[in-house]
Amino acid sequence: MTDIGKIIHSLDQRLKAVERSSRLSSASIDNTALEVRDDSGSLRGLVGQQGDGTTAINIVNGPTPPAPTTPTVEPALAALTVTWDGGFADAVAAPLDWMRCEVHIGPAGDFIPSQGTLRDTIETPQGGMVTIPLPYTEWHVKLRSRTSSGAVSTPTPAVAGTPRKAETADLTAGIITADLIAVDALTGKTITGGTVTGATVRTAATGARVVLDTAMRLYNPAGEPLAEAVPDATALGYPNDAGYIVYNTVGIGRYWAMLSRGFIRFGKDGEDYRWGPLIDHYLSGGSTSVMKLGSGAIESGGEEENEATISLVGTNAATPGDHPHVDIGGSGIRDSGRADLNVTGNITTPAVLTAGNIRAGRVSITPSAANTPTSATVTGLGIPAAVTPRATATASTAVPGTQVTGVGISALTNTSMTIWLTRTNTTTTNIDWIAIGA
């Protein structure tokens, strides 16, 4: 027979044991998270396994925190010092999920705080001070509270401030001495404005370097000069010319090129130039622009060698009959300044002299009958219309005067001409011709 009293007594003892034990003493959260919700059912936190595989207490959907109190902004040397007293709007207490106070800076008072305007943070609700380097213009500072759930408060009103430039109290005469500047302390630094006066400024004592003294010089790793900008070129024999000089040292000596006022001059150390090779530009009479290429002339035994020149001459359009042209000339006493133009080549790379007013070609003519003049028309000459065409023709033959009795030209224009052939027979003959616009 069941004893109801014993059963009730047993249940009472077991219930008391459960009431006296720790909550969830034997419970576990296996590969999941315990959700914490408020009285409206909104999710407020997750305890346990998170969505990214980590295990943590994650606070979400927290309430909007109160705004910090308006900061104090003071100018500092090239910076602003921002101070927050740790208070909140309406004197409310710091929320338990509060994380930091954000310091935002913008160029105008109506700027909207964002990730791009965040310049620093204060990590304690007791307040703090931060100093932010800024350019010397007016800036505006706003603070925002942020909680562990990511909620952010409304910003504080903007407070304006302008960084301070160095004053006498910051840098008095003699305040910076040699023992205050460590060796290489200025490596990679920037000096803006002011004047540096000294005998020599250089990037290294030997080897590849840039040296600035009475000139600006560039040296290669062997210590040889590669280039220099000089106030005069006395060392090269041109004391009145300032310029930029580039050197090239080869086995037979050192060559150089100098860019100066309106010309480029070339030379070689140890050569006594009467005139150095050059590319020059000048105005002749104020109306003609001339670009001149000169080969240079070397003095030898007191005798002046010839210098060859090519000049590209531009002209003044207002001068009647004046036109651009090329002059080839020589100077000196040998050959009375004679200058020749040689166009050379070889079998694989022939040299061809062409000009827009010169045309040449060959035409074949078969006489219609013996001793009967027969013609062929040449078209497409393309002689410029501004010049008058001249032409000549000759037969390619070994029997001139006997079988080939005549070759002539008629109807010559800038675009075409007629060539005539007369033979004592009807043999086909090649006629070579040339037309020149004079």
Side-chain angles (χ1 to χ4, degrees), residues 40 156 236 258:
S40 66
T156 64
L236 301 180
M258 179 176 70

Side-chain angles (χ1 to χ4, degrees), residues 367-438:
S368 59
N371 300 313
T372 300
T374 305
S375 67
T377 300
V378 176
T379 61
L381 290 182
I383 300 296
V387 295
T388 302
R390 303 283 189 271
T392 184
T394 184
S396 177
T397 180
V399 290
T402 57
Q403 295 181 21
V404 177
T405 57
V407 175
I409 296 175
S410 66
L412 174 61
T413 68
N414 293 73
T415 59
S416 64
M417 62 180 172
T418 300
I419 298 179
W420 296 87
L421 169 68
T422 303
R423 289 188 67 115
T424 59
N425 51 40
T426 59
T427 301
T428 299
T429 304
N430 290 326
I431 308 297
D432 295 311
W433 58 265
I434 184 170
I436 301 176

Side-chain angles (χ1 to χ4, degrees), residues 228-393:
E228 60 180 340
V230 296
D232 69 80
T234 301
L236 301 180
Y238 302 98
N240 296 322
D241 291 322
Y244 180 77
I245 306 171
V246 179
Y247 299 99
N248 182 26
T249 302
V250 295
I252 59 174
R254 187 177 75 165
Y255 289 84
W256 51 265
M258 179 176 70
L259 173 62
S260 188
R261 295 163 293 184
F263 65 83
I264 303 176
R265 194 177 297 275
F266 306 91
K268 179 177 179 294
D269 284 357
E271 297 291 352
D272 187 9
Y273 283 96
R274 174 71 174 181
W275 294 297
L278 82 162
I279 301 173
D280 194 3
H281 172 263
Y282 56 91
L283 294 177
S284 176
S287 61
T288 301
S289 178
V290 181
M291 180 64 72
K292 179 181 178 181
L293 172 64
S295 67
I298 300 175
E299 290 186 352
S300 177
E303 184 176 1
E304 180 185 317
E305 299 288 349
N306 282 357
E307 178 190 36
T309 61
I310 299 177
S311 297
L312 305 179
V313 184
T315 60
N316 187 350
T319 303
D322 214 357
H323 56 277
H325 58 279
V326 179
D327 288 340
I328 300 175
S331 60
I333 59 175
R334 290 189 176 183
D335 297 328
S336 300
R338 171 182 171 184
D340 298 329
L341 175 63
N342 297 325
V343 181
T344 59
N346 52 48
I347 294 299
T348 57
T349 308
V352 179
L353 177 64
T354 61
N357 65 325
I358 300 176
R359 298 290 184 268
R362 168 176 284 191
V363 63
S364 295
I365 299 177
T366 301
S368 59
N371 300 313
T372 300
T374 305
S375 67
T377 300
V378 176
T379 61
L381 290 182
I383 300 296
V387 295
T388 302
R390 303 283 189 271
T392 184

